[in-house]
């Protein structure tokens, strides 16, 4: 009985913290229509700040709580909404997800910047660990009682706020019809900002309360993922109902503690299952809950992608192979494998182009399918022993097929899901795989055969050998990965230009219209999921082989989210976007950070500056991701559109190419450092359209566009230029008013002054009265 009561109380306490965190998610979704993936990171950042105030600077507990909950939490929520979230209107669901994911990653990097992860930090319970009471033989601490009371009070308060107050009604109306709410005299922006401030405060409170319960150790990634477990509770209430959210959180908390307390001792995987339980519940809840009906019309968003022809794709693929080979000639041996890892990441990112860029389906865990394929080839695709071990072609094919099959199995129950629900389902799968499978290092026995899934916590994956082609050579591996990416890229473009690709695009624009035209949406979704999973599986195998050895940390959900974010930033609808996003996610920013750290060691007098620049480089991917709301089509789209204007400015194009060629020759001969070559080349690529507009404006912009830009906009006539007769005529033309000719006013002779006649007011009034004018 004592054990039951103890685990029940512990489950209720944990569930109450889940409820507090999930209530904040429900609050923001109801008022902005945005699911905040950064909710856990907000909780983490608030907990770290509370530790700094309470432990680091020895402030009293009430004062520290007042600063964190009363000032920092609300200000963080207000800043997020007014600076970022309100600019996400008319963007696709993937853009909204990526922006909040970017905020989450930025907060993680920011916490590691200010609080070094290698320094231990702990939070103790309120009132002390020894402040406790006995309840039916079980020990209950005051901190745990506070969690229960706070959760109940917040649930009741939010329920009353939404149902009994005018503010609650207006908060619900913000996402339903902000224009109508504005016409009724309310300010939707102010109401939504208030909800984000309140939600942020709840997230910070959850982070402060849950840390002592979960062991007291402050670790950024673990705390962020711990609060992410509240996603299941929020979905239990379908992001609408606070009472159902509270019930779902309590059920999650009780299920986890009961599993830990009553699972058979022979279950060696009980701890992993306990950690994975919220994600299992999230996946089940998403499948069981009723879904919204198919939308009947296409939703016009601000994303625009141009699909190239297959001929152009082949040309660009060949150009990529040549460029990578030329870059390889500049690289030292140690850097070749680093670039190879980046290109394998690009292959994984290519799976997102097919699934999300073309079909509009979501997958937040692409590296999880790479992990599945890696496990398969480790167990069934290696021949030889010792240093002579090699991957076999059959093993790679088997791994890719198993990854595709797993992709189909994951997609099969999730076929009825769309948008956010599908994204959460794939995220649940990714976190479950990381917690349940990639942590499984124990030995199992099945039908007399002993095995372990993730042997020893790491898997050693040798290079592939196909006849005379041996990827043990670093240059051979690099060029093979590049050729594979180019071939897959051309195949992806060919798929998009085929009838199948047009059906995918139709399903993305309007599922209802696509179904009415006779398309089988189930087959389309299932097939594109399997294709995407197969590409991710191949990329994962090559990535693991390029690294040599991988652990469970190589496939975490954080890395998958970073890959998705940078692919969207580059342009998820482009093969080139997958290339740049994958390379930057795999090695790009890591190389920049290592470079600054090496500079700091080489020049101690400038160590502070270089370390600052290194930390900025670590946070910069998240900052770039946050800005994707202003350019949802991606940076590749922006560059492509810029170069489209240079087609008539051949001297600028040839001049830029010649400049890069000169830089390459200087770098090849050792006269220019590789760092400067890369920096100047990147700057030239991005600045060339701007230079073209400055040097040859007529050829780049065209005469009509140039004249339009030189002309003052109509709304600035009389402000930026004097108000003249020509300006009045322009305004009449812009407004569609009929032309009116105003006769010139003749000036009176200066020598004959005008004498105004005297006006008899009395006679004028009498005349107006007689004429019937009162």
């Amino acid at each position: 009985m004592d054990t039951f009561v103890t685990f029940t109380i512990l489950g209720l306490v944990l569930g109450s913290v889940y409820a507090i965190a999930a209530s904040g998610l429900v609050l923001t979704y109801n008022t902005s229509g945005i699911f905040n993936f950064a909710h856990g990171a907000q909780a983490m950042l608030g907990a770290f700040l509370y530790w700094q105030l309470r432990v680091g600077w020895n402030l009293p507990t009430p004062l520290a709580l007042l600063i964190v909950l009363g000032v920092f939490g609300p200000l963080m929520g207000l800043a997020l909404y007014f600076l970022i979230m309100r600019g996400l209107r008319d963007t696709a669901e993937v853009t909204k997800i990526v922006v909040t994911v970017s905020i989450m990653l930025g907060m993680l990097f920011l916490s590691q910047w200010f609080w070094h992860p290698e320094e231990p930090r702990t939070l103790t319970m309120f009132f002390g660990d020894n402040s406790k009471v006995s309840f039916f033989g079980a020990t209950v601490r005051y901190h745990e009682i506070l969690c229960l009371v706070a959760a109940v009070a917040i649930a009741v308060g939010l329920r009353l706020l939404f149902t009994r107050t005018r503010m609650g009604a207006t908060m619900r109306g913000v996402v339903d019809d902000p224009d109508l709410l504005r016409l009724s005299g309310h300010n939707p922006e102010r109401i939504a900002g208030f909800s984000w401030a309140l939600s942020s405060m709840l997230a910070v409170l959850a982070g402060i309360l849950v840390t002592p319960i979960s062991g007291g150790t402050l670790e950024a990634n673990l705390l962020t993922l711990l609060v992410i477990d509240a996603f299941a509770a929020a979905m239990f209430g379908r992001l609408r109902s606070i009472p159902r959210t509270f019930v779902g959180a309590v059920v999650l908390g009780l299920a986890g503690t009961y599993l830990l307390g009553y699972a058979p001792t022979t279950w060696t995987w009980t701890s992993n299952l306990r950690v994975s339980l919220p994600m299992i519940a999230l996946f089940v809840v998403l499948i069981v809950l009723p879904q919204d009906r198919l939308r009947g019309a296409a939703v016009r968003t601000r994303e625009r992608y141009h699909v190239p022809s297959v001929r152009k794709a082949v040309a660009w693929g060949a150009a990529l192979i040549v460029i990578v080979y030329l870059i390889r000639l500049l690289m030292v041996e140690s850097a070749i494998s680093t670039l190879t890892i980046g290109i394998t990441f690009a292959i994984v990112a290519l799976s997102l182009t097919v699934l999300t860029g073309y079909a509009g389906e979501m997958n937040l865990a692409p590296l999880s399918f790479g992990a599945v394929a890696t496990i398969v080839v480790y167990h069934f695709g290696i021949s030889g022993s010792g240093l002579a071990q090699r991957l076999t072609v059959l093993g790679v094919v088997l791994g890719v097929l198993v990854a595709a099959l797993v992709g189909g199995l994951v997609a099969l129950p999730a076929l009825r899901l769309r948008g956010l629900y599908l994204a959460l389902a794939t995220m649940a799968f990714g976190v479950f795989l990381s917690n349940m499978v990639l942590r499984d290092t124990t030995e199992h026995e099945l039908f007399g055969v002993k095995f372990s899934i993730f042997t020893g916590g790491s898997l050693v994956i040798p290079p592939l050998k196909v006849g005379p082609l041996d990827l043990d050579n670093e240059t051979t591996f690099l060029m093979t990965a590049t050729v594979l990416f180019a071939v897959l890229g051309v195949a992806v473009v060919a798929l998009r230009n085929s009838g199948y690709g047009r059906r995918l695009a139709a399903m993305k624009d309007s599922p209802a219209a696509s179904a009415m035209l006779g398309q089988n949406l189930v087959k389309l979704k299932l097939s594109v999921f399997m294709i995407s999973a197969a590409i991710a599986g191949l990329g994962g195998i090559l990535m693991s082989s390029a690294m040599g050895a991988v652990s469970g940390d190589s496939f975490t959900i954080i890395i998958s989210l970073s890959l998705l974010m940078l692919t969207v930033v580059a342009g998820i609808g482009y093969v080139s976007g997958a290339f740049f996003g994958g390379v930057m996610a795999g090695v790009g920013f890591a190389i920049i950070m290592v470079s600054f750290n090496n500079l700091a060691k080489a020049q101690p007098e400038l160590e502070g500056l270089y370390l600052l620049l290194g930390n900025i480089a670590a946070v910069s991917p998240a900052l770039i991701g946050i800005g994707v709301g202003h350019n949802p089509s991606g940076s590749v789209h922006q560059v492509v559109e810029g170069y489209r204007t240079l087609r008539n400015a051949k001297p600028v194009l040839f001049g830029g190419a010649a400049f890069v060629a000169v830089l390459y020759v200087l770098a090849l001969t050792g006269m220019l450092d590789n760092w400067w070559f890369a920096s100047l080349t990147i700057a030239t690529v991005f600045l060339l359209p701007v230079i073209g507009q400055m040097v040859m404006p007529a050829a780049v912009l065209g005469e009509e566009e140039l004249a339009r830009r030189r002309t003052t906009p109509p709304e600035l006539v009389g402000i930026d230029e004097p108000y003249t007769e020509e300006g009045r005529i322009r305004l009449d033309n812009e407004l569609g008013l009929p032309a009116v000719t105003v006769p010139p006013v003749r000036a009176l002779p200066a020598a004959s002054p005008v004498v105004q006649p005297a006006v008899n007011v009395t006679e004028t009034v009498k005349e107006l009265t007689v004429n019937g004018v009162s």
Side-chain angles (χ1 to χ4, degrees), residues 270-306:
T270 301
S271 178
N272 293 341
L273 181 60
R274 154 73 185 84
V275 177
S276 306
L277 193 60
M279 292 298 104
I280 298 174
L282 175 59
F283 193 86
V284 172
V285 167
L286 288 169
I287 300 302
V288 172
L289 281 178
Q291 303 299 308
D292 298 328
R293 294 180 179 180
L294 291 176
R295 59 184 186 270
V299 177
R300 305 309 301 170
T301 61
R302 290 188 279 123
E303 288 80 2
R304 298 291 182 270
Y305 302 117
H306 298 289

Short mmCIF file of all heavy atoms in Angstrom, two decimals, residues 270-306:
data_model
loop_
_atom_site.label_atom_id
_atom_site.label_comp_id
_atom_site.label_asym_id
_atom_site.label_seq_id
_atom_site.Cartn_x
_atom_site.Cartn_y
_atom_site.Cartn_z
N THR A 270 12.80 -1.32 -19.12
CA THR A 270 11.74 -0.57 -18.44
C THR A 270 12.05 0.92 -18.39
O THR A 270 11.19 1.77 -18.63
CB THR A 270 11.53 -1.11 -17.02
OG1 THR A 270 11.17 -2.49 -17.10
CG2 THR A 270 10.44 -0.34 -16.31
N SER A 271 13.29 1.25 -18.05
CA SER A 271 13.66 2.66 -17.93
C SER A 271 13.51 3.38 -19.27
O SER A 271 13.00 4.51 -19.33
CB SER A 271 15.10 2.78 -17.42
OG SER A 271 15.49 4.13 -17.33
N ASN A 272 13.95 2.73 -20.35
CA ASN A 272 13.81 3.35 -21.67
C ASN A 272 12.34 3.51 -22.05
O ASN A 272 11.94 4.52 -22.65
CB ASN A 272 14.52 2.50 -22.72
CG ASN A 272 16.03 2.50 -22.54
OD1 ASN A 272 16.58 3.37 -21.87
ND2 ASN A 272 16.70 1.51 -23.11
N LEU A 273 11.52 2.50 -21.71
CA LEU A 273 10.09 2.59 -22.01
C LEU A 273 9.44 3.70 -21.21
O LEU A 273 8.56 4.42 -21.71
CB LEU A 273 9.41 1.26 -21.72
CG LEU A 273 7.91 1.18 -22.01
CD1 LEU A 273 7.63 1.48 -23.47
CD2 LEU A 273 7.34 -0.17 -21.60
N ARG A 274 9.88 3.87 -19.99
CA ARG A 274 9.33 4.95 -19.14
C ARG A 274 9.62 6.32 -19.76
O ARG A 274 8.75 7.20 -19.81
CB ARG A 274 9.96 4.84 -17.76
CG ARG A 274 10.04 6.12 -16.95
CD ARG A 274 8.69 6.56 -16.42
NE ARG A 274 8.80 7.82 -15.75
CZ ARG A 274 8.79 9.01 -16.32
NH1 ARG A 274 8.70 9.10 -17.64
NH2 ARG A 274 8.86 10.11 -15.63
N VAL A 275 10.82 6.51 -20.28
CA VAL A 275 11.17 7.79 -20.91
C VAL A 275 10.40 7.97 -22.22
O VAL A 275 10.02 9.09 -22.59
CB VAL A 275 12.69 7.86 -21.15
CG1 VAL A 275 13.06 9.14 -21.87
CG2 VAL A 275 13.43 7.78 -19.82
N SER A 276 10.14 6.87 -22.92
CA SER A 276 9.48 6.94 -24.22
C SER A 276 7.97 7.01 -24.12
O SER A 276 7.30 7.27 -25.13
CB SER A 276 9.86 5.71 -25.06
OG SER A 276 11.25 5.58 -25.16
N LEU A 277 7.41 6.76 -22.93
CA LEU A 277 5.97 6.66 -22.79
C LEU A 277 5.21 7.90 -23.26
O LEU A 277 4.19 7.78 -23.96
CB LEU A 277 5.62 6.34 -21.33
CG LEU A 277 4.19 5.90 -21.08
CD1 LEU A 277 3.87 4.63 -21.85
CD2 LEU A 277 3.96 5.68 -19.58
N PRO A 278 5.65 9.13 -22.94
CA PRO A 278 4.91 10.30 -23.45
C PRO A 278 4.84 10.36 -24.97
O PRO A 278 3.82 10.76 -25.53
CB PRO A 278 5.69 11.48 -22.86
CG PRO A 278 6.36 10.93 -21.65
CD PRO A 278 6.71 9.53 -22.00
N MET A 279 5.93 9.96 -25.64
CA MET A 279 5.91 10.00 -27.11
C MET A 279 5.01 8.91 -27.68
O MET A 279 4.35 9.10 -28.70
CB MET A 279 7.33 9.85 -27.66
CG MET A 279 8.23 11.03 -27.37
SD MET A 279 7.64 12.59 -28.10
CE MET A 279 6.97 13.44 -26.67
N ILE A 280 4.96 7.75 -27.01
CA ILE A 280 4.03 6.71 -27.44
C ILE A 280 2.60 7.21 -27.28
O ILE A 280 1.75 7.04 -28.17
CB ILE A 280 4.25 5.42 -26.61
CG1 ILE A 280 5.66 4.88 -26.85
CG2 ILE A 280 3.21 4.37 -26.97
CD1 ILE A 280 6.02 3.70 -25.96
N ALA A 281 2.33 7.85 -26.15
CA ALA A 281 0.99 8.39 -25.92
C ALA A 281 0.65 9.47 -26.93
O ALA A 281 -0.48 9.55 -27.42
CB ALA A 281 0.90 8.95 -24.50
N LEU A 282 1.64 10.31 -27.27
CA LEU A 282 1.41 11.36 -28.26
C LEU A 282 1.03 10.76 -29.60
O LEU A 282 0.07 11.21 -30.25
CB LEU A 282 2.67 12.22 -28.40
CG LEU A 282 2.65 13.30 -29.49
CD1 LEU A 282 1.51 14.28 -29.26
CD2 LEU A 282 3.99 14.03 -29.55
N PHE A 283 1.74 9.75 -30.03
CA PHE A 283 1.44 9.11 -31.32
C PHE A 283 0.05 8.49 -31.30
O PHE A 283 -0.73 8.65 -32.25
CB PHE A 283 2.49 8.05 -31.63
CG PHE A 283 2.46 7.56 -33.04
CD1 PHE A 283 3.15 8.22 -34.04
CD2 PHE A 283 1.74 6.43 -33.38
CE1 PHE A 283 3.12 7.79 -35.35
CE2 PHE A 283 1.70 5.98 -34.69
CZ PHE A 283 2.40 6.65 -35.67
N VAL A 284 -0.29 7.79 -30.22
CA VAL A 284 -1.60 7.14 -30.13
C VAL A 284 -2.72 8.17 -30.11
O VAL A 284 -3.74 8.02 -30.79
CB VAL A 284 -1.66 6.24 -28.88
CG1 VAL A 284 -3.07 5.71 -28.66
CG2 VAL A 284 -0.67 5.09 -28.99
N VAL A 285 -2.53 9.24 -29.34
CA VAL A 285 -3.56 10.28 -29.25
C VAL A 285 -3.79 10.93 -30.62
O VAL A 285 -4.92 11.19 -31.03
CB VAL A 285 -3.17 11.33 -28.20
CG1 VAL A 285 -4.05 12.57 -28.30
CG2 VAL A 285 -3.30 10.74 -26.80
N LEU A 286 -2.70 11.19 -31.35
CA LEU A 286 -2.84 11.79 -32.67
C LEU A 286 -3.61 10.89 -33.62
O LEU A 286 -4.39 11.37 -34.45
CB LEU A 286 -1.46 12.09 -33.25
CG LEU A 286 -0.69 13.24 -32.60
CD1 LEU A 286 0.75 13.26 -33.08
CD2 LEU A 286 -1.36 14.57 -32.89
N ILE A 287 -3.42 9.59 -33.52
CA ILE A 287 -4.11 8.66 -34.40
C ILE A 287 -5.58 8.55 -34.03
O ILE A 287 -6.46 8.48 -34.89
CB ILE A 287 -3.44 7.27 -34.35
CG1 ILE A 287 -1.98 7.37 -34.80
CG2 ILE A 287 -4.19 6.27 -35.22
CD1 ILE A 287 -1.80 7.92 -36.18
N VAL A 288 -5.87 8.56 -32.73
CA VAL A 288 -7.24 8.32 -32.26
C VAL A 288 -8.11 9.56 -32.42
O VAL A 288 -9.30 9.46 -32.76
CB VAL A 288 -7.22 7.85 -30.79
CG1 VAL A 288 -8.64 7.79 -30.23
CG2 VAL A 288 -6.56 6.49 -30.69
N LEU A 289 -7.55 10.74 -32.20
CA LEU A 289 -8.36 11.95 -32.23
C LEU A 289 -8.97 12.17 -33.61
O LEU A 289 -8.32 11.91 -34.63
CB LEU A 289 -7.51 13.17 -31.86
CG LEU A 289 -7.26 13.40 -30.38
CD1 LEU A 289 -6.37 14.61 -30.19
CD2 LEU A 289 -8.54 13.57 -29.61
N PRO A 290 -10.19 12.68 -33.68
CA PRO A 290 -10.77 13.00 -34.99
C PRO A 290 -10.02 14.15 -35.62
O PRO A 290 -9.57 15.08 -34.95
CB PRO A 290 -12.21 13.39 -34.64
CG PRO A 290 -12.17 13.80 -33.20
CD PRO A 290 -11.11 12.95 -32.56
N GLN A 291 -9.90 14.09 -36.95
CA GLN A 291 -9.16 15.09 -37.70
C GLN A 291 -10.11 16.09 -38.35
O GLN A 291 -11.30 15.85 -38.52
CB GLN A 291 -8.31 14.42 -38.78
CG GLN A 291 -7.35 13.39 -38.23
CD GLN A 291 -6.36 13.98 -37.25
OE1 GLN A 291 -5.68 14.96 -37.56
NE2 GLN A 291 -6.27 13.42 -36.07
N ASP A 292 -9.54 17.24 -38.73
CA ASP A 292 -10.31 18.23 -39.47
C ASP A 292 -10.61 17.70 -40.87
O ASP A 292 -9.87 16.89 -41.43
CB ASP A 292 -9.53 19.54 -39.58
CG ASP A 292 -9.27 20.14 -38.20
OD1 ASP A 292 -10.13 19.94 -37.32
OD2 ASP A 292 -8.23 20.80 -38.03
N ARG A 293 -11.68 18.19 -41.45
CA ARG A 293 -12.02 17.79 -42.82
C ARG A 293 -11.01 18.36 -43.80
O ARG A 293 -10.35 19.36 -43.54
CB ARG A 293 -13.42 18.29 -43.18
CG ARG A 293 -14.52 17.63 -42.37
CD ARG A 293 -15.88 18.17 -42.79
NE ARG A 293 -16.95 17.54 -42.05
CZ ARG A 293 -18.25 17.84 -42.22
NH1 ARG A 293 -18.60 18.75 -43.11
NH2 ARG A 293 -19.15 17.21 -41.51
N LEU A 294 -10.94 17.70 -44.95
CA LEU A 294 -10.07 18.22 -46.00
C LEU A 294 -10.52 19.61 -46.41
O LEU A 294 -11.72 19.84 -46.58
CB LEU A 294 -10.10 17.29 -47.22
CG LEU A 294 -9.44 15.91 -47.07
CD1 LEU A 294 -9.65 15.12 -48.34
CD2 LEU A 294 -7.97 16.03 -46.75
N ARG A 295 -9.56 20.51 -46.57
CA ARG A 295 -9.92 21.85 -47.00
C ARG A 295 -10.34 21.81 -48.47
O ARG A 295 -9.78 21.10 -49.29
CB ARG A 295 -8.76 22.82 -46.79
CG ARG A 295 -7.48 22.44 -47.52
CD ARG A 295 -6.38 23.42 -47.15
NE ARG A 295 -5.18 23.21 -47.92
CZ ARG A 295 -4.20 22.41 -47.57
NH1 ARG A 295 -4.30 21.73 -46.44
NH2 ARG A 295 -3.12 22.28 -48.31
N GLY A 296 -11.33 22.59 -48.79
CA GLY A 296 -11.90 22.52 -50.11
C GLY A 296 -11.23 23.38 -51.14
O GLY A 296 -11.50 23.27 -52.32
N ALA A 297 -10.37 24.28 -50.76
CA ALA A 297 -9.71 25.17 -51.72
C ALA A 297 -8.25 25.25 -51.39
O ALA A 297 -7.80 24.96 -50.29
CB ALA A 297 -10.35 26.57 -51.66
N ALA A 298 -7.48 25.63 -52.39
CA ALA A 298 -6.05 25.78 -52.18
C ALA A 298 -5.78 26.96 -51.26
O ALA A 298 -6.42 27.99 -51.34
CB ALA A 298 -5.34 26.00 -53.52
N VAL A 299 -4.83 26.78 -50.37
CA VAL A 299 -4.44 27.84 -49.45
C VAL A 299 -3.22 28.53 -50.04
O VAL A 299 -2.17 27.93 -50.20
CB VAL A 299 -4.13 27.27 -48.05
CG1 VAL A 299 -3.65 28.38 -47.13
CG2 VAL A 299 -5.36 26.58 -47.48
N ARG A 300 -3.37 29.80 -50.39
CA ARG A 300 -2.27 30.53 -51.00
C ARG A 300 -1.32 31.06 -49.93
O ARG A 300 -1.72 31.80 -49.05
CB ARG A 300 -2.81 31.71 -51.82
CG ARG A 300 -3.83 31.33 -52.87
CD ARG A 300 -3.36 30.20 -53.75
NE ARG A 300 -2.13 30.51 -54.44
CZ ARG A 300 -1.43 29.62 -55.12
NH1 ARG A 300 -1.79 28.35 -55.15
NH2 ARG A 300 -0.34 29.99 -55.75
N THR A 301 -0.12 30.62 -49.98
CA THR A 301 0.89 31.06 -49.05
C THR A 301 1.95 31.86 -49.80
O THR A 301 1.88 32.03 -51.01
CB THR A 301 1.55 29.84 -48.36
OG1 THR A 301 2.17 29.02 -49.36
CG2 THR A 301 0.50 29.03 -47.61
N ARG A 302 2.95 32.34 -49.06
CA ARG A 302 3.97 33.19 -49.67
C ARG A 302 5.16 32.39 -50.21
O ARG A 302 6.11 32.97 -50.71
CB ARG A 302 4.45 34.21 -48.63
CG ARG A 302 3.40 35.27 -48.32
CD ARG A 302 3.96 36.37 -47.46
NE ARG A 302 4.00 36.02 -46.06
CZ ARG A 302 5.09 36.04 -45.31
NH1 ARG A 302 6.24 36.36 -45.84
NH2 ARG A 302 5.06 35.72 -44.04
N GLU A 303 5.13 31.06 -50.09
CA GLU A 303 6.20 30.24 -50.63
C GLU A 303 6.07 30.12 -52.14
O GLU A 303 4.99 29.85 -52.65
CB GLU A 303 6.20 28.84 -49.99
CG GLU A 303 6.68 28.82 -48.54
CD GLU A 303 5.62 29.26 -47.56
OE1 GLU A 303 4.49 29.53 -48.01
OE2 GLU A 303 5.90 29.33 -46.36
N ARG A 304 7.17 30.31 -52.86
CA ARG A 304 7.19 30.17 -54.30
C ARG A 304 8.47 29.43 -54.70
O ARG A 304 9.57 29.81 -54.31
CB ARG A 304 7.16 31.55 -54.99
CG ARG A 304 5.89 32.35 -54.69
CD ARG A 304 4.66 31.73 -55.34
NE ARG A 304 3.47 32.53 -55.08
CZ ARG A 304 2.68 32.36 -54.04
NH1 ARG A 304 2.94 31.43 -53.14
NH2 ARG A 304 1.62 33.13 -53.88
N TYR A 305 8.31 28.35 -55.49
CA TYR A 305 9.45 27.57 -55.93
C TYR A 305 9.39 27.39 -57.45
O TYR A 305 8.32 27.24 -58.03
CB TYR A 305 9.46 26.18 -55.27
CG TYR A 305 9.49 26.23 -53.76
CD1 TYR A 305 8.44 25.72 -53.00
CD2 TYR A 305 10.58 26.79 -53.09
CE1 TYR A 305 8.48 25.75 -51.62
CE2 TYR A 305 10.62 26.83 -51.71
CZ TYR A 305 9.56 26.32 -50.98
OH TYR A 305 9.60 26.37 -49.61
N HIS A 306 10.55 27.42 -58.09
CA HIS A 306 10.66 27.18 -59.53
C HIS A 306 11.36 25.84 -59.73
O HIS A 306 12.51 25.66 -59.34
CB HIS A 306 11.46 28.30 -60.21
CG HIS A 306 10.83 29.65 -60.09
ND1 HIS A 306 9.69 29.99 -60.76
CD2 HIS A 306 11.19 30.74 -59.36
CE1 HIS A 306 9.36 31.25 -60.46
NE2 HIS A 306 10.26 31.72 -59.61
#
